[in-house]
Amino acid sequence: MLKPGARIGILGGGQLGRMLALDAARLGFDCVIFTPEDDSPAGRVAAACEIAPYEDLEAVARFAASVDVVTYEFENVPVETAQAAGRHAPLRPGVKALEVCQDRVTEKSFVNEAGIETTPWQAVSSAKDAIAAAQALGVPAILKTRRLGYDGKGQQVVRRAGDAASAFEALGSVPCILEAFAPFTREVSVVAARSVDGAVAAFPLAENHHEGGILRVSTAPAPGADGLAGEALRIASAILSGLEYVGVLAVELFVLEDGRLWVNEIAPRVHNTGHWTMDACTVSQFEQHIRAIAGWPLGDPAPHSAARMDNLIGADVERWQALASEPGVCLHLYGKGEAREGRKMGHVNRLSPLS
């Protein structure tokens, strides 16, 4: 168990690292950020920042040797970087979560082998494979790159089997996965944590609405989802245990008409759909992650309020003054410079009484 005053290393300098560092500081920890960015959102609020490419393993070793535990704020940290850090300090979560979640085929296989359902899928490595997969799974379907896609990037909708080859080529002819469309009624997510001693705690389900592949709104607790909570916790617990995970993880889920849950994606980190916990819970997802990796007891994930979280994407952030003037709005800005289209610049939480 780390004592206050210990140093926590975070691989990644984005907004998730920023919010982790802020909650860690409140618990008395000093955070050190490792990032290739000169002026990162996380680096500006941390005790120290190591600026170097992820491929500079000497810099990674120096960074890790200066802290008491290392974590990461996004799932595309190179595995070699995480391994190098783990040779000098405990790495929580471990490398296995990165190895599984960086490749959509590996991730889907891991989930299915754990006895958990997903949408039907097939691996695709050529234009010919893409056509055959579309014929086997049916259309419409969605073709995704196996690696590096996020927020709707690295995806192509296939509406006719004959279009699968051109979709594969549009994605750069890199290894892909074709996923059948899920017949879902809504999308929900569970954000859960696992401690060093294996205890699991989950926040209530959030219901999520996406536009253009980017999360716009999360509502929590998800209305009418009490009957789904037990199964969602079972799924999250199986994934956490199977990954030998320490920290916070999110599982995005499709809710089918018959009430079954299919796993859409795993995010081995704190997650956008858990941002509502910052103001609606005594312990946020960020504090929960810090508690877990520091060896502390997990906090109570029960909310004291219901919440609606709205992402501020691109030019949305220009409304900051009006939002700051709106009663009951909890405004969180990420300290990013250019408000580019599709870029997450902040979010707002609006609280209401629990029903």
Side-chain angles (χ1 to χ4, degrees):
M1 184 181 295
L2 298 185
K3 295 180 180 179
R7 289 163 65 90
I8 293 175
I10 301 174
L11 292 166
Q15 68 263 23
L16 299 180
R18 180 186 181 96
M19 290 181 274
L20 283 169
L22 289 169
D23 268 16
R26 190 168 53 78
L27 296 179
F29 297 112
D30 289 333
C31 283
V32 181
I33 307 299
F34 188 97
T35 176
E37 298 178 64
D38 288 331
D39 187 29
S40 68
R44 292 201 301 276
V45 303
C49 186
E50 177 85 27
I51 300 173
Y54 292 117
E55 295 76 18
D56 186 344
L57 300 188
E58 288 186 9
V60 172
R62 183 170 61 247
F63 152 79
S66 74
V67 300
D68 298 291
V69 67
V70 174
T71 190
Y72 42 85
E73 60 115 32
F74 72 115
E75 61 267 53
N76 288 321
V77 170
V79 168
E80 296 79 6
T81 301
Q83 289 172 330
R87 287 193 284 270
H88 298 274
L91 179 69
R92 298 171 180 164
V95 171
K96 184 175 182 179
L98 293 178
E99 292 174 332
V100 168
C101 297
Q102 285 183 0
D103 185 309
R104 288 190 169 97
V105 167
T106 305
E107 180 180 291
K108 286 286 196 297
S109 298
F110 167 82
V111 171
N112 293 155
E113 287 166 8
I116 301 166
E117 289 186 280
T118 63
T119 186
W121 59 272
Q122 286 194 16
V124 170
S125 58
S126 67
K128 183 178 178 181
D129 285 350
I131 294 172
Q135 291 171 337
L137 296 176
V139 290
I142 185 163
L143 188 69
K144 302 178 181 179
T145 57
R146 286 177 62 162
R147 292 179 175 269
L148 299 177
Y150 67 96
D151 285 347
K153 299 178 177 66
Q155 302 183 11
Q156 291 279 323
V157 175
V158 177
R159 302 196 182 279
R160 298 182 305 172
D163 295 337
S166 59
F168 178 77
E169 291 164 0
L171 291 174
S173 299
V174 298
C176 290
I177 181 172
L178 187 73
E179 300 176 3
F181 269 27
F184 65 91
T185 59
R186 56 177 171 163
E187 297 178 75
V188 299
S189 58
V190 57
V191 173
R194 184 172 181 267
S195 67
V196 171
D197 63 6
V200 173
F203 293 98
L205 291 174
E207 181 170 339
N208 307 309
H209 174 65
H210 295 78
E211 293 178 7
I214 302 176
L215 179 70
R216 293 294 322 199
V217 178
S218 287
T219 304
D226 290 350
L228 304 174
E231 177 63 4
L233 177 60
R234 183 193 73 81
I235 289 170
S237 297
I239 291 170
L240 287 163
S241 177
L243 293 176
E244 301 169 0
Y245 200 91
V246 175
V248 164
L249 168 149
V251 185
E252 296 182 84
L253 301 157
F254 293 127
V255 182
L256 276 59
E257 289 184 359
D258 59 7
R260 283 183 297 155
L261 295 177
W262 282 3
V263 169
N264 178 23
E265 290 185 353
I266 304 169
R269 53 175 170 80
V270 286
H271 195 252
N272 199 167
T273 64
H275 288 357
W276 67 274
T277 64
M278 297 174 73
D279 300 298
C281 300
T282 304
V283 175
S284 74
Q285 65 164 340
F286 300 99
E287 178 179 336
Q288 193 78 300
H289 186 79
I290 296 299
R291 282 172 170 261
I293 66 172
W296 286 27
L298 298 180
D300 184 354
H304 54 71
S305 301
R308 171 184 163 126
M309 189 283 304
D310 288 76
N311 270 330
L312 302 177
I313 299 172
D316 291 347
V317 75
E318 295 172 7
R319 298 189 289 114
W320 65 267
Q321 191 170 8
L323 291 167
S325 302
E326 184 180 330
V329 164
C330 305
L331 177 61
H332 300 270
L333 300 179
Y334 302 154
K336 296 180 178 179
E338 184 183 359
R340 298 191 299 269
E341 182 179 355
R343 192 182 196 192
K344 293 175 182 175
M345 302 298 294
H347 68 273
V348 294
N349 288 328
R350 294 179 172 88
L351 306 186
S352 59
L354 288 169
S355 57

